[in-house]
Amino acid sequence: MLILKKINNNVALASNDAGEEIVVFGKGVGFPKTPYELEDESIIQRVFADVDEQYMGVAQSVSDDVLLASSDIATTAGKALDCKLSGNLAFTLADHIQYAIERVADGIVFENPLANEVRFVYPREVSLGARGIEIVRERTGIELPACEAISIALHLVNSEIDGMGSAQDMDLVMKSAVILDRATQIIEKHVGQPLDHSSYAYVRFVAHMRFLIRRLKQGGSKRTENSSLFCQAAKDFPDAYACARDINEYLSDAYGWSCSDEELLYLMMHVNRLR
């Protein structure tokens, strides 16, 4: 393995056999003068792929234990959620956890005002956030407050939708939690009973809404030649159409967004599955 650049004494930018740039963690890996050929690769404890250069510097401001804890959380989440997470996750999460630890030392606790919405919409991620607190304790000996499970969960959600970890991306995640909470309430009102958040249909609905929200926020709208199909479906499934229309009216009133006929058709399909 070719070590290209020191990030800190234990973290470095490297090149693997395929010529791809990766970030590696291992005791003393960044200490020798770079570039150099690492002959004993057994010292490498972690390998991070697809890390944006702007996040590599995080390793200079966090402890090794925090970076290892964040890596463990990312690995655990990737397996549990069964999806590809952003390569930046371990570093953006480490940055957050380091500051959270410093706040604990100062006796400062920040409660997230959207905690209830996040628990409601992202139960799997919040559960993983709680496991993340345990991992941090195991790695660092520091007990983070329970509310940090929400923050860790939001980082996971951000990573799931291929976010890059910026404040703008996190704002989208927070906004999505509010919108999904309200959309779920609208559907539950139409069907007359609570939805099963553990069901495959609901998980698919949440995934669809995340991408719809991102597209609408960016000013895009999915338009195809399916308007005639939508009109027919609206006639055949009036209850699903009424529900999708109410969700669209909420998005319009609250955010000034408007779904196309194509997007309303997909919403109707998800509502039918949830019914």
Side-chain angles (χ1 to χ4, degrees):
M1 182 181 294
L2 180 64
I3 305 300
L4 302 172
K5 181 181 178 181
K6 171 182 178 177
I7 297 177
N8 68 28
N9 285 343
N10 299 325
V11 183
L13 181 66
S15 177
N16 61 18
D17 291 339
E20 301 166 329
E21 289 193 350
I22 55 177
V23 177
V24 295
F25 174 94
K27 191 166 183 63
V29 71
F31 189 74
K33 183 179 179 180
T34 57
Y36 74 94
E37 192 76 30
L38 178 66
E39 296 180 358
D40 182 13
E41 295 188 13
S42 66
I43 70 169
I44 301 299
Q45 296 176 252
R46 294 286 192 282
V47 174
F48 306 96
D50 302 320
V51 181
D52 194 279
E53 186 176 356
Q54 64 178 311
Y55 298 108
M56 295 179 187
V58 167
Q60 297 175 342
S61 59
V62 304
S63 71
D64 290 346
D65 286 339
V66 166
L67 184 57
L68 287 172
S70 299
S71 174
D72 290 345
I73 294 170
T75 299
T76 300
K79 292 177 180 177
L81 297 172
D82 193 25
C83 68
K84 179 177 173 56
L85 301 177
S86 169
N88 300 318
L89 176 59
F91 292 85
T92 58
L93 199 51
D95 188 49
H96 172 82
I97 290 172
Q98 187 69 52
Y99 280 113
I101 289 173
E102 292 172 9
R103 289 196 298 270
V104 167
D106 293 334
I108 301 172
V109 176
F110 287 144
E111 292 284 351
N112 192 308
L114 297 178
N116 289 334
E117 286 86 349
V118 176
R119 288 191 188 95
F120 185 72
V121 176
Y122 303 120
R124 294 189 303 165
E125 288 82 355
V126 172
S127 177
L128 286 165
R131 173 61 186 137
I133 291 176
E134 295 176 357
I135 290 173
V136 171
R137 182 180 65 245
E138 293 163 2
R139 280 286 184 187
T140 69
I142 296 171
E143 184 76 39
L144 295 177
C147 61
E148 282 300 324
I150 300 298
S151 298
I152 294 173
L154 289 171
H155 277 276
L156 298 180
V157 175
N158 194 25
S159 182
E160 282 180 77
I161 61 175
D162 201 26
M164 297 301 289
S166 69
Q168 184 178 7
D169 290 318
M170 191 56 73
D171 175 67
L172 176 62
V173 171
M174 299 283 281
K175 185 173 291 184
S176 297
V178 175
I179 294 171
L180 280 162
D181 183 18
R182 180 62 184 134
T184 300
Q185 291 176 19
I186 290 171
I187 297 173
E188 289 178 338
K189 181 178 179 181
H190 274 268
V191 302
Q193 63 183 24
L195 299 179
D196 178 5
H197 289 207
S198 64
S199 70
Y200 181 61
Y202 187 77
V203 171
R204 289 187 65 185
F205 168 69
V206 168
H208 172 76
M209 286 295 294
R210 288 181 190 174
F211 287 103
L212 173 62
I213 292 164
R214 169 161 285 201
R215 189 162 60 243
L216 292 174
K217 186 176 185 294
Q218 293 173 342
S221 188
K222 188 173 184 178
R223 299 184 183 279
T224 65
E225 302 300 321
N226 282 336
S227 290
S228 59
L229 180 59
F230 161 71
C231 292
Q232 186 60 49
K235 293 178 182 178
D236 294 341
F237 304 99
D239 292 340
Y241 169 64
C243 185
R245 184 187 59 204
D246 284 353
I247 293 174
N248 188 44
E249 287 179 359
Y250 159 68
L251 293 173
S252 178
D253 292 344
Y255 302 100
W257 301 339
S258 180
C259 294
S260 65
D261 288 350
E262 174 85 355
E263 287 159 343
L264 285 173
L265 177 61
Y266 279 116
L267 270 178
M268 289 170 59
M269 292 168 61
H270 282 286
V271 170
N272 260 339
R273 291 192 187 102
L274 290 167
R275 287 167 61 88

